Amino acid sequence: MIQNVCDSDFGSVIKNRNQELLDSFGSHLRKLRKHRGMSQEELAYEADIPISQVGRIERGEINVTISTLYLIAKAMNMELKDLVNFR
Amino acid sequence: MIQNVCDSDFGSVIKNRNQELLDSFGSHLRKLRKHRGMSQEELAYEADIPISQVGRIERGEINVTISTLYLIAKAMNMELKDLVNFR
DNA sequence: TTGAATCAACTCATATATGCGCTATTTTTA
DNA sequence: TAAAAATAGCGCATATATGAGTTGATTCAA
């Protein structure tokens, strides 16, 4: 079978041009969450977003939007600027 | 003709649940940009994003992602946390 | 007035974030 | 070890961010 280099499902092959940013934000968020003793489920509930979304963000799989960042910050009782203060 | 309340083009009718956030971030960005004496075109060029995107963000039309925020911050020679320090 | 610069406001295609449901795996706890 | 809790990692539908154009309005300078 011929391999398709431009396969549309990508599979850990092609990454976002800002993958490092997403990875490091994900790690940062996970650290903040655990430091507060929250589970992904608790954070998701407080932020009113799906739990699957929290997991995807922490694993650096998605490029989170400012409105989701805001909901997460509020759920963790912190300011947006502190949530994105990493690296 | 019957009016479709759920019209897909929305027309200043339905807004994002975080519209206020998007509006105020847009104003904030515009202020920061002008304070630096940059045009939308210059910012777009430096951040390597389309000029149309800069306009849409400043007008609060879109829910910008963290990677775009990062590119904009870099283009304005500032840190991400300072870019989202508003309200 | 004429031209240049700036920005608003659209169209369109494509990629992807979000939201939801589900199962499998891993980790923690009893 | 066994059960429970937490997380990973899918699949899918829908909404929307991004990227690349175009046109028109406005402002400002020559």
Side-chain angles (χ1 to χ4, degrees):
Chain A
M1 175 196 174
I2 298 175
Q3 283 282 351
N4 182 358
V5 180
C6 295
D7 203 321
S8 60
D9 88 325
F10 306 104
S12 72
V13 177
I14 298 185
K15 292 193 168 194
N16 188 295
R17 67 169 162 164
N18 292 294
Q19 190 56 51
E20 280 182 39
L21 177 81
L22 304 188
D23 286 341
S24 77
F25 175 70
S27 303
H28 173 67
L29 173 59
R30 175 161 295 177
K31 201 168 63 179
L32 289 174
R33 175 179 60 78
K34 286 186 177 291
H35 187 261
R36 283 166 175 70
M38 298 176 84
S39 67
Q40 289 183 346
E41 191 175 18
E42 284 177 304
L43 176 56
Y45 177 78
E46 293 297 330
D48 193 25
I49 60 178
I51 183 175
S52 61
Q53 193 76 350
V54 175
R56 285 181 291 201
I57 294 167
E58 288 189 351
R59 293 192 295 275
E61 291 178 4
I62 58 175
N63 192 359
V64 62
T65 63
I66 193 173
S67 71
T68 299
L69 288 171
Y70 175 73
L71 293 173
I72 290 173
K74 210 167 52 166
M76 296 203 302
N77 207 26
M78 61 193 298
E79 294 196 40
L80 186 51
K81 68 173 166 53
D82 297 316
L83 178 59
V84 299
N85 185 16
F86 60 106
R87 279 191 149 174
Chain B
M1 175 198 173
I2 297 174
Q3 282 284 351
N4 182 357
V5 180
C6 296
D7 204 319
S8 62
D9 89 325
F10 308 103
S12 72
V13 177
I14 298 184
K15 291 193 168 191
N16 188 295
R17 66 170 164 166
N18 293 295
Q19 190 56 52
E20 279 182 40
L21 177 81
L22 304 187
D23 286 339
S24 78
F25 175 69
S27 303
H28 173 67
L29 174 59
R30 175 161 295 175
K31 202 168 64 180
L32 289 173
R33 175 179 60 79
K34 285 186 177 292
H35 186 262
R36 281 166 175 70
M38 297 176 84
S39 66
Q40 289 184 345
E41 189 174 18
E42 284 176 306
L43 175 57
Y45 177 79
E46 293 297 331
D48 193 24
I49 60 179
I51 183 176
S52 61
Q53 193 74 349
V54 175
R56 286 181 290 202
I57 294 166
E58 289 189 351
R59 293 191 296 276
E61 291 178 4
I62 58 174
N63 194 358
V64 62
T65 63
I66 192 173
S67 71
T68 299
L69 287 172
Y70 175 73
L71 293 172
I72 290 173
K74 210 168 52 167
M76 297 202 303
N77 208 27
M78 60 192 298
E79 294 197 38
L80 185 49
K81 69 173 164 55
D82 297 317
L83 178 59
V84 299
N85 185 15
F86 61 105
R87 278 188 148 173

